[in-house]
Amino acid sequence: MFCYLSSATPCAVKVNGEFVGKATVNLSFLDLEQAFLEFVPLDQALAPVCYFFDKKQPVSTKNMQIIDLYGGFLLAPKFIRQSQGELKIFAKKTFSFTRPLYVTCFNQGDGKIFLSHERDVFIENTPFSLTDVRFESCSVLGKEYLLIICVSGKTVIYGYEIGEKITPVFKNVCDGYGFDGNLLHLLENKNDLLRHVVSTTWEFGGSVKVKSCTVTAKRVAYSLPDALIPYAFFEEVLVSGDVEKFLTPRLKPRASEFKEFLGDFTAILPPPHFKNDDLVTLVYVDKVAYAKVFVVGGQVDNVILE
């Protein structure tokens, strides 16, 4: 059975105890019938993942996602951080909300954030050790919010509404941020073909909602060869960018329909070797779809989903 491996965390791969290579976010290929698989992350702070593959009935587990490719399977390991060493408190802070809020940040392998007041307790687990934590707060329309900004390579921002309960209301990853009054400004650099930059402003008020979103690109679509146009087109849909610039005059009036037509895909990959080379693989939470894109004069003239 054809198996493709994809791992956001680089890892060594063993089949029945024998090292066979390295898996990354780029697809790698194995031909398996029945085998004991081991995925050993190069980051030693992460725990290895073991999985017994049987082509007759491969199923997803907590640590392994299996997606049917209709002719093979996509295997994506999910690593968790191992508990390492003693518990070390990183930061403590008290906030003067209606109910005084106590926040403790500590590390034990990964990071944890402990929030408590007289009525409730909430614990947030972070996928990395805490090295730089910052806080912002606001009170708007009778609601109180706390933002915890964890800087570690990428910046991860957690937001909580502080009421009778401590309620998580926001989580996002970004490359830069700013906070002004009750407005959170985020900047994210995408590692895609056109090098998109996504700027969003979130408003913390009666609810938490997007106030504005701007998508720009550092490269232009016409600089790409025709073979890459389908991939760049789907990336544009994924970031909610200017889809119209990819379309022929015939399709431009329907630009707004593509997001609903394609659905909530999360990644774009080349087709497996048992599918035609002119297809693009769209990965969803629990499935894939294959898309055929017709390019005319460097622009998309039709899209068909299989």
Side-chain angles (χ1 to χ4, degrees):
M1 177 59 67
F2 302 128
C3 294
Y4 281 83
L5 310 179
S6 179
S7 177
T9 300
C11 62
V13 181
K14 292 182 179 181
V15 178
N16 296 326
E18 180 181 351
F19 172 73
V20 296
K22 177 181 172 183
T24 65
V25 69
N26 297 319
L27 293 180
S28 50
F29 167 75
L30 291 174
D31 190 357
L32 302 172
E33 298 292 317
Q34 200 177 68
F36 179 67
L37 305 177
E38 297 172 83
F39 299 85
V40 184
L42 304 187
D43 182 351
Q44 296 182 0
L46 300 175
V49 169
C50 300
Y51 183 79
F52 184 78
F53 177 83
D54 186 340
K55 73 171 187 177
K56 294 180 181 178
Q57 195 175 15
V59 294
S60 295
T61 66
K62 184 175 78 170
N63 294 328
M64 178 66 70
Q65 184 181 26
I66 306 292
I67 296 180
D68 191 350
L69 295 174
Y70 314 110
F73 293 95
L74 175 65
L75 282 65
K78 303 175 184 178
F79 299 104
I80 60 173
R81 192 167 292 272
Q82 304 183 83
S83 180
Q84 296 179 340
E86 60 180 327
L87 185 150
K88 295 183 178 179
I89 294 177
F90 177 73
K92 297 179 72 175
K93 194 172 180 66
T94 302
F95 294 88
S96 299
F97 292 115
T98 301
R99 294 179 178 85
L101 181 74
Y102 306 96
V103 179
T104 302
C105 304
F106 58 92
N107 289 318
Q108 190 174 28
D110 57 359
K112 296 183 187 297
I113 302 171
F114 183 86
L115 304 95
S116 67
H117 60 41
E118 61 183 9
R119 295 291 183 88
D120 196 21
V121 170
F122 188 87
I123 299 176
E124 186 79 65
N125 295 307
T126 69
F128 47 80
S129 295
L130 300 172
T131 57
D132 184 357
V133 177
R134 307 165 192 175
F135 304 96
E136 298 285 356
S137 62
C138 65
S139 178
V140 184
L141 300 175
K143 293 197 173 185
E144 297 174 312
Y145 296 99
L146 175 68
L147 298 180
I148 300 180
I149 300 99
C150 303
V151 181
S152 177
K154 287 278 191 178
T155 297
V156 184
I157 301 180
Y158 301 95
Y160 308 92
E161 181 183 338
I162 311 302
E164 285 277 340
K165 302 280 290 182
I166 301 170
T167 307
V169 293
F170 184 84
K171 180 181 177 181
N172 214 322
V173 179
C174 63
D175 295 289
Y177 78 96
F179 191 72
D180 177 23
N182 67 322
L183 299 179
L184 175 64
H185 309 283
L186 302 183
L187 181 70
E188 185 178 2
N189 299 313
K190 298 290 187 179
N191 186 27
D192 55 17
L193 288 169
L194 296 187
R195 299 295 187 265
H196 286 102
V197 178
V198 181
S199 303
T200 53
T201 296
W202 293 80
E203 182 179 38
F204 288 74
S207 61
V208 180
K209 60 185 180 182
V210 177
K211 187 176 177 66
S212 66
C213 179
T214 303
V215 180
T216 58
K218 295 180 180 179
R219 296 179 64 184
V220 291
Y222 62 76
S223 68
L224 300 175
D226 280 3
L228 293 181
I229 291 294
Y231 294 90
F233 166 73
F234 290 122
E235 288 175 346
E236 196 76 25
V237 175
L238 192 59
V239 299
S240 300
D242 181 14
V243 175
E244 188 173 322
K245 68 186 177 186
F246 282 90
L247 305 177
T248 58
R250 183 179 73 86
L251 277 191
K252 284 185 188 297
R254 304 186 63 184
S256 61
E257 299 176 21
F258 277 98
K259 189 72 173 177
E260 182 177 356
F261 170 65
L262 296 172
D264 294 326
F265 63 94
T266 59
I268 304 124
L269 296 174
H273 74 281
F274 50 82
K275 291 291 185 180
N276 292 336
D277 290 342
D278 60 353
L279 296 177
V280 177
T281 307
L282 301 180
V283 182
Y284 298 77
V285 173
D286 56 357
K287 66 177 182 178
V288 299
Y290 297 106
K292 183 175 178 62
V293 179
F294 297 86
V295 178
V296 177
Q299 294 181 308
V300 174
D301 191 56
N302 198 12
V303 179
I304 297 176
L305 283 183
E306 295 185 1

